[in-house]
Amino acid sequence: MQTSVKYYVGIDVGSASVRAALVDEFGTVVMHAEQPIQIWEPQPDHYEQSSADIWAACCAVTKEVVCGVDASQIRGIGFDATCSLVVVDKQFQPLAVNSQGQNNRNAIMWMDHRAVSQVDRINATQHRILSYVGGVMSVEMQPPKLLWIKENLQESCWEKAGYFFDLPDFLSWKATGVTARYVNYGGWDDSFWKIIGLEDLVKDKYEKIGNHVLSPGESVGKGLTPEAAKELGLPEGIAVAASLIDAHAGGLGVIGADVRGHNLPCENQPITSRVALICGTSSCHMGISETPIFVPGVWGPYFSAMVPGLWLNEGGQSATGKLIEHVVQGHVAFPELQSKAAASAQSIYTYLNSHLDLIKKSLPVGFLTVDLHVWPDFHGNRSPLTDLTLKGMVVGLTLSRGLDELALIYLATIQAIALGTRHILEAMEAAGHHINTLFLCGGLSKNPLFVQMHADITGKPVVLSKEVESVLVGAAILGACASGDFASIQEAMAKMGKIGRVVRPNHEHKRFYDKKYEVFLKLVEHQREYRSIMKSS
């Protein structure tokens, strides 16, 4: 007698869209759907979203992927999302995070940089807790955003707020009615909240930011509530997993894959020899360790934040996919690129990659940028310099305005992002990580030039997942774990994470990229030097 296949639903809330997948017990994405979500930018560096808009999109895409599937075969559901901050009142109704009083806009996005003065003051305290975020807190984290709300929206938002949710926790609350969290902010330390001016959060035993913490993949409450089940098109009571940040879910989807037979340096090595690189709008670098490792300029160590029982360090670049888009779309030759790509029925990036092959002549493609160098921190540096005031730089511009020039600046930007990854990995290795293999997923991992440059510039092989949608597989792994079908997250990762192909570094190009890296580090030195000159004038 044939047993029926078990399915899990993974729901991923990214920056600009919500995606859902129906994933089977072997990690295959059977159905996939996507819907855009709205972003408001009321002023520079302020980015807001609507939790109602996000939940509606979650419901629409989930209904789409489970349509026509026998409900008894769907065993669990897992959510992941960006670490945006959602604010609701005591009745769980949305509260405006803006001075316009627009209550529907009740989420401050992860990439919002409004709380610069707040984060500066938090960092000035030099509280010992900061050692768990690389020594310096980022403007993208929740404490500075909470402080900004208290100082700027005291009456309209702060005093009325009942709960502050990380977006992943908001989604699991919406599905189950349980306010449990995946990050233990309360386990920080009363003195930290008091010294930064948020002592009110301590008074109510951290109820507003969560005092009940679950491990990734742990089952939440009694599963889907009748109301949520109806909205999502699923049976009530289905297991709902404790949620994760999207990048952490991407890490789960790739980092535990069985690598036997691929001749990789991480084979027969502990999982701690791997780094998961989740590259989309921004990039995150996930390294895990058995004991806590403190890496200057890199977030963590966080216990059980991604893989239960292991410590997580998280490096990051605030603008990667967004930076490539910015550079390409802002170039004077962009309309020409668009029309030529459309005429050849290719994406603009596929067209640019083939155009680079045309102009390289006998040289390796990467060598075309011998005189063109980019410093990629157009949106500040998250890791390992933790300096959000850094700006982007381009050295080697000419008066050329054509497609060749656009292709070259595109190439130099991709190389700069890969050089930034090398910078982060070197900081992690200097602190005690032993990394020999990269596991890539996310939108940019679909670009072969981006992948090859990461292999060549870091000197490490890059493993690509069989399923491009690794973040959705990671979310489904959470649901699979919550359902009880797997004994542990590690077991689910090994069974559901599958290797697609391996991209190896071209070691003959090592000398060239070592020199590019030398120039890369000089660029930031020069930026700091000219800043100090300007300050002293």
Side-chain angles (χ1 to χ4, degrees):
M1 178 183 146
Q2 193 181 358
T3 55
S4 60
V5 177
K6 294 173 180 150
Y7 294 113
Y8 312 96
V9 176
I11 299 170
D12 164 51
V13 179
S15 301
S17 66
V18 174
R19 303 175 310 145
L22 187 69
V23 182
D24 70 18
E25 60 198 285
F26 308 105
T28 306
V29 174
V30 181
M31 279 291 289
H32 170 255
E34 183 165 6
Q35 184 166 309
I37 47 179
Q38 210 167 339
I39 297 174
W40 286 269
E41 190 183 354
Q43 59 196 81
D45 283 336
H46 286 231
Y47 295 95
E48 295 167 8
Q49 288 185 312
S50 155
S51 64
D53 177 46
I54 290 167
W55 180 252
C58 289
C59 297
V61 289
T62 303
K63 278 181 173 159
E64 200 176 321
V65 298
V66 302
C67 184
V69 178
D70 179 352
S72 67
Q73 291 176 260
I74 301 171
R75 308 266 307 148
I77 181 168
F79 294 94
D80 72 78
T82 63
C83 49
S84 299
L85 176 69
V86 178
V87 188
V88 294
D89 66 16
K90 293 172 181 71
Q91 286 73 46
F92 294 96
Q93 294 305 304
L95 270 178
V97 293
N98 47 69
S99 52
Q100 293 87 12
Q102 297 285 326
N103 280 334
N104 64 313
R105 286 160 34 201
N106 67 319
I108 299 179
M109 281 186 78
W110 65 271
M111 63 184 188
D112 184 288
H113 282 193
R114 68 181 66 182
V116 171
S117 78
Q118 287 76 14
V119 82
D120 286 347
R121 279 179 275 139
I122 290 170
N123 286 325
T125 66
Q126 298 188 334
H127 193 283
R128 62 177 188 79
I129 276 297
L130 298 176
S131 64
Y132 285 88
V133 291
V136 181
M137 185 167 283
S138 164
V139 70
E140 293 172 7
M141 290 181 170
Q142 309 303 20
K145 290 174 181 166
L146 290 166
L147 189 54
W148 184 93
I149 291 172
K150 182 177 179 179
E151 292 178 349
N152 291 275
L153 305 171
Q154 172 89 29
E155 288 177 20
S156 62
C157 183
W158 184 257
E159 287 172 5
K160 292 179 182 171
Y163 300 90
F164 298 101
F165 284 105
D166 266 313
L167 181 53
D169 291 328
F170 169 81
L171 298 170
S172 53
W173 165 73
K174 198 75 178 151
T176 64
V178 175
T179 62
R181 314 301 176 104
Y182 75 93
V183 170
N184 191 359
Y185 288 118
W188 290 21
D189 158 319
D190 292 2
S191 68
F192 169 73
W193 297 100
K194 286 172 182 166
I195 201 172
I196 69 169
L198 292 177
E199 61 286 344
D200 3 10
L201 295 176
V202 181
K203 281 180 202 157
D204 53 15
K205 297 197 174 93
Y206 297 104
E207 191 187 355
K208 287 185 177 180
I209 55 171
N211 49 22
H212 176 206
V213 179
L214 298 174
S215 276
E218 209 175 320
S219 169
V220 182
K222 295 176 179 168
L224 276 185
T225 63
E227 187 187 355
K230 190 177 171 199
E231 291 175 336
L232 290 161
L234 290 166
E236 67 178 270
I238 277 183
V240 176
S243 307
L244 275 185
I245 292 172
D246 52 353
H248 297 181
L252 278 192
V254 292
I255 205 169
D258 184 347
V259 299
R260 283 173 299 185
H262 288 272
N263 191 27
L264 283 163
C266 63
E267 190 176 338
N268 303 321
Q269 294 282 316
I271 194 171
T272 52
S273 65
R274 310 174 179 192
V275 158
L277 174 50
I278 296 85
C279 34
T281 306
S282 61
S283 291
C284 295
H285 308 69
M286 306 289 173
I288 47 182
S289 56
E290 286 177 9
T291 55
I293 297 175
F294 292 85
V295 186
V298 171
W299 298 350
Y302 305 133
F303 186 63
S304 289
M306 184 170 82
V307 180
L310 294 173
W311 295 82
L312 172 71
N313 280 111
E314 180 182 345
Q317 294 161 292
S318 291
T320 49
K322 192 170 176 61
L323 175 62
I324 294 167
E325 191 180 275
H326 173 79
V327 167
V328 170
Q329 293 185 6
H331 196 278
V332 69
F334 180 62
E336 182 191 348
L337 168 65
Q338 269 186 309
S339 60
K340 286 190 168 166
S344 61
Q346 291 178 311
S347 80
I348 56 172
Y349 299 115
T350 305
Y351 189 88
L352 278 173
N353 292 350
S354 56
H355 190 77
L356 283 165
D357 281 332
L358 281 178
I359 59 177
K360 71 174 187 180
K361 302 193 172 70
S362 59
L363 282 172
V365 164
F367 289 27
L368 287 169
T369 58
V370 66
D371 289 323
L372 186 60
H373 309 282
V374 172
W375 179 264
D377 291 325
F378 285 45
H379 197 51
N381 183 287
R382 188 189 299 170
S383 305
L385 302 176
T386 59
D387 184 349
L388 62 95
T389 70
L390 283 176
K391 303 288 187 281
M393 299 170 74
V394 184
V395 175
L397 292 173
T398 71
L399 290 174
S400 302
R401 295 162 60 86
L403 207 47
D404 287 6
E405 199 65 25
L406 170 48
L408 289 179
I409 189 80
Y410 157 74
L411 170 62
T413 303
I414 284 178
Q415 288 175 335
I417 292 166
L419 290 160
T421 289
R422 176 168 167 174
H423 200 197
I424 291 165
L425 295 179
E426 286 190 2
M428 291 172 76
E429 288 168 332
H433 280 276
H434 300 283
I435 300 156
N436 56 34
T437 312
L438 301 184
F439 287 69
L440 255 66
C441 68
L444 289 174
S445 70
K446 300 173 195 176
N447 183 331
L449 180 68
F450 184 90
V451 175
Q452 189 65 55
M453 286 299 133
H454 271 75
D456 288 352
I457 285 170
T458 63
K460 300 181 196 300
V462 172
V463 177
L464 295 171
S465 178
K466 188 175 180 192
E467 289 290 347
V468 178
E469 306 298 348
S470 299
V471 178
L472 285 166
V473 173
I477 285 171
L478 295 172
C481 216
S483 73
D485 291 344
F486 293 91
S488 67
I489 284 271
Q490 283 92 329
E491 187 193 321
M493 286 192 324
K495 191 169 180 190
M496 293 175 69
K498 294 278 189 294
I499 287 188
R501 63 191 186 89
V502 175
V503 176
R504 299 183 193 274
N506 187 330
H507 292 297
E508 289 173 22
H509 300 169
K510 182 180 184 305
R511 191 161 169 271
F512 178 80
Y513 290 118
D514 284 350
K515 287 184 177 299
K516 284 283 290 187
Y517 186 56
E518 216 179 308
V519 173
F520 179 81
L521 296 177
K522 278 270 188 285
L523 288 177
V524 74
E525 259 180 58
H526 290 318
Q527 184 169 159
R528 286 177 161 166
E529 200 177 323
Y530 76 62
R531 283 181 162 189
S532 72
I533 292 168
M534 294 312 292
K535 275 182 186 162
S536 64
S537 60

mmCIF file of all heavy atoms in Angstrom, residues 323-353:
data_model
loop_
_atom_site.group_PDB
_atom_site.id
_atom_site.type_symbol
_atom_site.label_atom_id
_atom_site.label_comp_id
_atom_site.label_asym_id
_atom_site.label_seq_id
_atom_site.Cartn_x
_atom_site.Cartn_y
_atom_site.Cartn_z
ATOM 1 N N LEU A 323 21.825 47.507 -4.488
ATOM 2 C CA LEU A 323 22.948 48.293 -5.013
ATOM 3 C C LEU A 323 23.166 48.018 -6.504
ATOM 4 O O LEU A 323 23.338 48.949 -7.295
ATOM 5 C CB LEU A 323 24.229 47.978 -4.237
ATOM 6 C CG LEU A 323 25.504 48.645 -4.767
ATOM 7 C CD1 LEU A 323 25.416 50.163 -4.694
ATOM 8 C CD2 LEU A 323 26.739 48.150 -4.010
ATOM 9 N N ILE A 324 23.142 46.741 -6.882
ATOM 10 C CA ILE A 324 23.330 46.385 -8.303
ATOM 11 C C ILE A 324 22.239 47.053 -9.149
ATOM 12 O O ILE A 324 22.510 47.668 -10.182
ATOM 13 C CB ILE A 324 23.321 44.854 -8.485
ATOM 14 C CG1 ILE A 324 24.532 44.226 -7.788
ATOM 15 C CG2 ILE A 324 23.310 44.480 -9.974
ATOM 16 C CD1 ILE A 324 24.474 42.715 -7.640
ATOM 17 N N GLU A 325 21.010 46.963 -8.654
ATOM 18 C CA GLU A 325 19.868 47.588 -9.341
ATOM 19 C C GLU A 325 20.072 49.105 -9.461
ATOM 20 O O GLU A 325 19.855 49.703 -10.514
ATOM 21 C CB GLU A 325 18.620 47.287 -8.506
ATOM 22 C CG GLU A 325 17.302 47.600 -9.139
ATOM 23 C CD GLU A 325 16.178 47.247 -8.163
ATOM 24 O OE1 GLU A 325 15.752 46.082 -8.124
ATOM 25 O OE2 GLU A 325 15.735 48.152 -7.422
ATOM 26 N N HIS A 326 20.514 49.717 -8.370
ATOM 27 C CA HIS A 326 20.735 51.166 -8.327
ATOM 28 C C HIS A 326 21.791 51.592 -9.360
ATOM 29 O O HIS A 326 21.603 52.563 -10.102
ATOM 30 C CB HIS A 326 21.180 51.547 -6.916
ATOM 31 C CG HIS A 326 21.599 52.972 -6.747
ATOM 32 N ND1 HIS A 326 20.696 54.000 -6.608
ATOM 33 C CD2 HIS A 326 22.829 53.551 -6.716
ATOM 34 C CE1 HIS A 326 21.356 55.149 -6.485
ATOM 35 N NE2 HIS A 326 22.650 54.899 -6.550
ATOM 36 N N VAL A 327 22.885 50.854 -9.412
ATOM 37 C CA VAL A 327 23.992 51.196 -10.323
ATOM 38 C C VAL A 327 23.565 51.000 -11.779
ATOM 39 O O VAL A 327 23.825 51.852 -12.640
ATOM 40 C CB VAL A 327 25.240 50.334 -9.983
ATOM 41 C CG1 VAL A 327 26.282 50.422 -11.078
ATOM 42 C CG2 VAL A 327 25.833 50.788 -8.654
ATOM 43 N N VAL A 328 22.893 49.896 -12.046
ATOM 44 C CA VAL A 328 22.507 49.575 -13.431
ATOM 45 C C VAL A 328 21.399 50.512 -13.916
ATOM 46 O O VAL A 328 21.491 51.098 -14.998
ATOM 47 C CB VAL A 328 22.079 48.086 -13.543
ATOM 48 C CG1 VAL A 328 21.442 47.795 -14.884
ATOM 49 C CG2 VAL A 328 23.288 47.172 -13.313
ATOM 50 N N GLN A 329 20.349 50.677 -13.098
ATOM 51 C CA GLN A 329 19.207 51.478 -13.545
ATOM 52 C C GLN A 329 19.533 52.971 -13.593
ATOM 53 O O GLN A 329 18.883 53.724 -14.312
ATOM 54 C CB GLN A 329 18.001 51.222 -12.644
ATOM 55 C CG GLN A 329 17.485 49.804 -12.790
ATOM 56 C CD GLN A 329 16.209 49.554 -12.003
ATOM 57 O OE1 GLN A 329 15.628 50.456 -11.414
ATOM 58 N NE2 GLN A 329 15.767 48.306 -11.989
ATOM 59 N N GLY A 330 20.543 53.395 -12.834
ATOM 60 C CA GLY A 330 20.898 54.814 -12.830
ATOM 61 C C GLY A 330 21.838 55.213 -13.954
ATOM 62 O O GLY A 330 22.127 56.395 -14.141
ATOM 63 N N HIS A 331 22.319 54.223 -14.714
ATOM 64 C CA HIS A 331 23.295 54.524 -15.778
ATOM 65 C C HIS A 331 22.592 55.063 -17.020
ATOM 66 O O HIS A 331 21.488 54.652 -17.355
ATOM 67 C CB HIS A 331 24.082 53.252 -16.129
ATOM 68 C CG HIS A 331 25.332 53.518 -16.896
ATOM 69 N ND1 HIS A 331 25.336 53.718 -18.258
ATOM 70 C CD2 HIS A 331 26.630 53.626 -16.502
ATOM 71 C CE1 HIS A 331 26.586 53.929 -18.660
ATOM 72 N NE2 HIS A 331 27.386 53.873 -17.608
ATOM 73 N N VAL A 332 23.266 55.978 -17.713
ATOM 74 C CA VAL A 332 22.669 56.625 -18.894
ATOM 75 C C VAL A 332 22.350 55.612 -20.005
ATOM 76 O O VAL A 332 21.440 55.825 -20.804
ATOM 77 C CB VAL A 332 23.607 57.758 -19.397
ATOM 78 C CG1 VAL A 332 24.893 57.194 -19.986
ATOM 79 C CG2 VAL A 332 22.907 58.667 -20.387
ATOM 80 N N ALA A 333 23.071 54.469 -20.024
ATOM 81 C CA ALA A 333 22.824 53.469 -21.077
ATOM 82 C C ALA A 333 21.733 52.463 -20.698
ATOM 83 O O ALA A 333 21.478 51.511 -21.442
ATOM 84 C CB ALA A 333 24.126 52.724 -21.402
ATOM 85 N N PHE A 334 21.071 52.675 -19.544
ATOM 86 C CA PHE A 334 20.069 51.699 -19.100
ATOM 87 C C PHE A 334 18.916 51.506 -20.110
ATOM 88 O O PHE A 334 18.536 50.365 -20.374
ATOM 89 C CB PHE A 334 19.523 52.075 -17.722
ATOM 90 C CG PHE A 334 18.482 51.116 -17.201
ATOM 91 C CD1 PHE A 334 18.806 49.788 -16.967
ATOM 92 C CD2 PHE A 334 17.180 51.528 -16.960
ATOM 93 C CE1 PHE A 334 17.854 48.881 -16.498
ATOM 94 C CE2 PHE A 334 16.223 50.641 -16.485
ATOM 95 C CZ PHE A 334 16.569 49.318 -16.252
ATOM 96 N N PRO A 335 18.359 52.586 -20.698
ATOM 97 C CA PRO A 335 17.277 52.367 -21.679
ATOM 98 C C PRO A 335 17.729 51.485 -22.858
ATOM 99 O O PRO A 335 16.972 50.632 -23.324
ATOM 100 C CB PRO A 335 16.926 53.789 -22.156
ATOM 101 C CG PRO A 335 17.346 54.670 -21.016
ATOM 102 C CD PRO A 335 18.571 54.021 -20.437
ATOM 103 N N GLU A 336 18.970 51.695 -23.303
ATOM 104 C CA GLU A 336 19.505 50.869 -24.401
ATOM 105 C C GLU A 336 19.599 49.405 -23.952
ATOM 106 O O GLU A 336 19.232 48.486 -24.689
ATOM 107 C CB GLU A 336 20.897 51.394 -24.799
ATOM 108 C CG GLU A 336 21.512 50.638 -25.972
ATOM 109 C CD GLU A 336 22.998 50.975 -26.184
ATOM 110 O OE1 GLU A 336 23.501 51.948 -25.587
ATOM 111 O OE2 GLU A 336 23.650 50.236 -26.943
ATOM 112 N N LEU A 337 20.069 49.196 -22.715
ATOM 113 C CA LEU A 337 20.162 47.836 -22.176
ATOM 114 C C LEU A 337 18.780 47.191 -22.125
ATOM 115 O O LEU A 337 18.606 46.036 -22.541
ATOM 116 C CB LEU A 337 20.773 47.884 -20.762
ATOM 117 C CG LEU A 337 20.687 46.598 -19.939
ATOM 118 C CD1 LEU A 337 21.504 45.475 -20.568
ATOM 119 C CD2 LEU A 337 21.152 46.835 -18.495
ATOM 120 N N GLN A 338 17.801 47.939 -21.628
ATOM 121 C CA GLN A 338 16.437 47.403 -21.530
ATOM 122 C C GLN A 338 15.909 46.947 -22.882
ATOM 123 O O GLN A 338 15.383 45.844 -23.014
ATOM 124 C CB GLN A 338 15.504 48.484 -20.976
ATOM 125 C CG GLN A 338 15.379 48.470 -19.472
ATOM 126 C CD GLN A 338 14.333 49.482 -19.017
ATOM 127 O OE1 GLN A 338 14.375 50.645 -19.414
ATOM 128 N NE2 GLN A 338 13.407 49.061 -18.187
ATOM 129 N N SER A 339 16.072 47.807 -23.893
ATOM 130 C CA SER A 339 15.497 47.455 -25.197
ATOM 131 C C SER A 339 16.233 46.275 -25.834
ATOM 132 O O SER A 339 15.622 45.402 -26.430
ATOM 133 C CB SER A 339 15.467 48.670 -26.138
ATOM 134 O OG SER A 339 16.771 49.157 -26.338
ATOM 135 N N LYS A 340 17.569 46.224 -25.673
ATOM 136 C CA LYS A 340 18.326 45.107 -26.268
ATOM 137 C C LYS A 340 18.028 43.790 -25.546
ATOM 138 O O LYS A 340 17.937 42.739 -26.185
ATOM 139 C CB LYS A 340 19.833 45.407 -26.228
ATOM 140 C CG LYS A 340 20.221 46.456 -27.279
ATOM 141 C CD LYS A 340 21.708 46.598 -27.416
ATOM 142 C CE LYS A 340 22.037 47.430 -28.664
ATOM 143 N NZ LYS A 340 23.434 47.876 -28.688
ATOM 144 N N ALA A 341 17.890 43.859 -24.215
ATOM 145 C CA ALA A 341 17.564 42.648 -23.450
ATOM 146 C C ALA A 341 16.172 42.142 -23.832
ATOM 147 O O ALA A 341 15.974 40.941 -24.044
ATOM 148 C CB ALA A 341 17.636 42.926 -21.950
ATOM 149 N N ALA A 342 15.222 43.086 -23.976
ATOM 150 C CA ALA A 342 13.852 42.707 -24.349
ATOM 151 C C ALA A 342 13.835 42.090 -25.748
ATOM 152 O O ALA A 342 13.168 41.072 -25.987
ATOM 153 C CB ALA A 342 12.933 43.924 -24.298
ATOM 154 N N ALA A 343 14.601 42.678 -26.657
ATOM 155 C CA ALA A 343 14.642 42.178 -28.043
ATOM 156 C C ALA A 343 15.207 40.759 -28.109
ATOM 157 O O ALA A 343 14.813 39.960 -28.974
ATOM 158 C CB ALA A 343 15.478 43.107 -28.914
ATOM 159 N N SER A 344 16.114 40.441 -27.194
ATOM 160 C CA SER A 344 16.691 39.085 -27.209
ATOM 161 C C SER A 344 15.998 38.166 -26.187
ATOM 162 O O SER A 344 16.475 37.062 -25.917
ATOM 163 C CB SER A 344 18.197 39.146 -26.924
ATOM 164 O OG SER A 344 18.428 39.705 -25.654
ATOM 165 N N ALA A 345 14.888 38.647 -25.628
ATOM 166 C CA ALA A 345 14.077 37.862 -24.678
ATOM 167 C C ALA A 345 14.913 37.368 -23.491
ATOM 168 O O ALA A 345 14.791 36.224 -23.056
ATOM 169 C CB ALA A 345 13.380 36.701 -25.382
ATOM 170 N N GLN A 346 15.791 38.246 -22.992
ATOM 171 C CA GLN A 346 16.627 37.896 -21.836
ATOM 172 C C GLN A 346 16.385 38.894 -20.712
ATOM 173 O O GLN A 346 15.953 40.017 -20.963
ATOM 174 C CB GLN A 346 18.117 37.955 -22.216
ATOM 175 C CG GLN A 346 18.568 36.879 -23.183
ATOM 176 C CD GLN A 346 20.044 37.059 -23.532
ATOM 177 O OE1 GLN A 346 20.478 38.149 -23.876
ATOM 178 N NE2 GLN A 346 20.817 35.991 -23.439
ATOM 179 N N SER A 347 16.724 38.490 -19.504
ATOM 180 C CA SER A 347 16.699 39.465 -18.407
ATOM 181 C C SER A 347 17.870 40.426 -18.623
ATOM 182 O O SER A 347 18.843 40.085 -19.310
ATOM 183 C CB SER A 347 16.841 38.765 -17.059
ATOM 184 O OG SER A 347 18.211 38.455 -16.817
ATOM 185 N N ILE A 348 17.808 41.609 -18.005
ATOM 186 C CA ILE A 348 18.891 42.579 -18.216
ATOM 187 C C ILE A 348 20.220 42.033 -17.701
ATOM 188 O O ILE A 348 21.279 42.314 -18.264
ATOM 189 C CB ILE A 348 18.574 43.964 -17.581
ATOM 190 C CG1 ILE A 348 18.271 43.848 -16.084
ATOM 191 C CG2 ILE A 348 17.454 44.665 -18.312
ATOM 192 C CD1 ILE A 348 18.138 45.183 -15.385
ATOM 193 N N TYR A 349 20.172 41.204 -16.651
ATOM 194 C CA TYR A 349 21.426 40.699 -16.075
ATOM 195 C C TYR A 349 22.024 39.579 -16.936
ATOM 196 O O TYR A 349 23.245 39.502 -17.091
ATOM 197 C CB TYR A 349 21.204 40.262 -14.627
ATOM 198 C CG TYR A 349 20.752 41.449 -13.782
ATOM 199 C CD1 TYR A 349 19.495 41.487 -13.195
ATOM 200 C CD2 TYR A 349 21.584 42.559 -13.623
ATOM 201 C CE1 TYR A 349 19.074 42.595 -12.463
ATOM 202 C CE2 TYR A 349 21.177 43.676 -12.895
ATOM 203 C CZ TYR A 349 19.927 43.691 -12.319
ATOM 204 O OH TYR A 349 19.515 44.791 -11.610
ATOM 205 N N THR A 350 21.171 38.733 -17.493
ATOM 206 C CA THR A 350 21.670 37.710 -18.434
ATOM 207 C C THR A 350 22.305 38.399 -19.634
ATOM 208 O O THR A 350 23.375 38.004 -20.113
ATOM 209 C CB THR A 350 20.502 36.798 -18.896
ATOM 210 O OG1 THR A 350 19.871 36.269 -17.732
ATOM 211 C CG2 THR A 350 20.988 35.662 -19.774
ATOM 212 N N TYR A 351 21.658 39.464 -20.115
ATOM 213 C CA TYR A 351 22.189 40.203 -21.273
ATOM 214 C C TYR A 351 23.542 40.846 -20.916
ATOM 215 O O TYR A 351 24.493 40.783 -21.701
ATOM 216 C CB TYR A 351 21.188 41.279 -21.730
ATOM 217 C CG TYR A 351 21.604 41.910 -23.049
ATOM 218 C CD1 TYR A 351 21.196 41.344 -24.261
ATOM 219 C CD2 TYR A 351 22.431 43.035 -23.084
ATOM 220 C CE1 TYR A 351 21.598 41.890 -25.472
ATOM 221 C CE2 TYR A 351 22.839 43.593 -24.286
ATOM 222 C CZ TYR A 351 22.419 43.013 -25.474
ATOM 223 O OH TYR A 351 22.836 43.550 -26.674
ATOM 224 N N LEU A 352 23.624 41.468 -19.728
ATOM 225 C CA LEU A 352 24.894 42.094 -19.312
ATOM 226 C C LEU A 352 26.015 41.059 -19.194
ATOM 227 O O LEU A 352 27.149 41.303 -19.605
ATOM 228 C CB LEU A 352 24.714 42.799 -17.963
ATOM 229 C CG LEU A 352 24.106 44.205 -18.001
ATOM 230 C CD1 LEU A 352 23.823 44.696 -16.581
ATOM 231 C CD2 LEU A 352 25.016 45.199 -18.725
ATOM 232 N N ASN A 353 25.679 39.886 -18.639
ATOM 233 C CA ASN A 353 26.698 38.838 -18.504
ATOM 234 C C ASN A 353 27.234 38.410 -19.869
ATOM 235 O O ASN A 353 28.441 38.227 -20.046
ATOM 236 C CB ASN A 353 26.128 37.627 -17.752
ATOM 237 C CG ASN A 353 25.841 37.934 -16.288
ATOM 238 O OD1 ASN A 353 26.228 38.990 -15.785
ATOM 239 N ND2 ASN A 353 25.174 37.036 -15.597
#
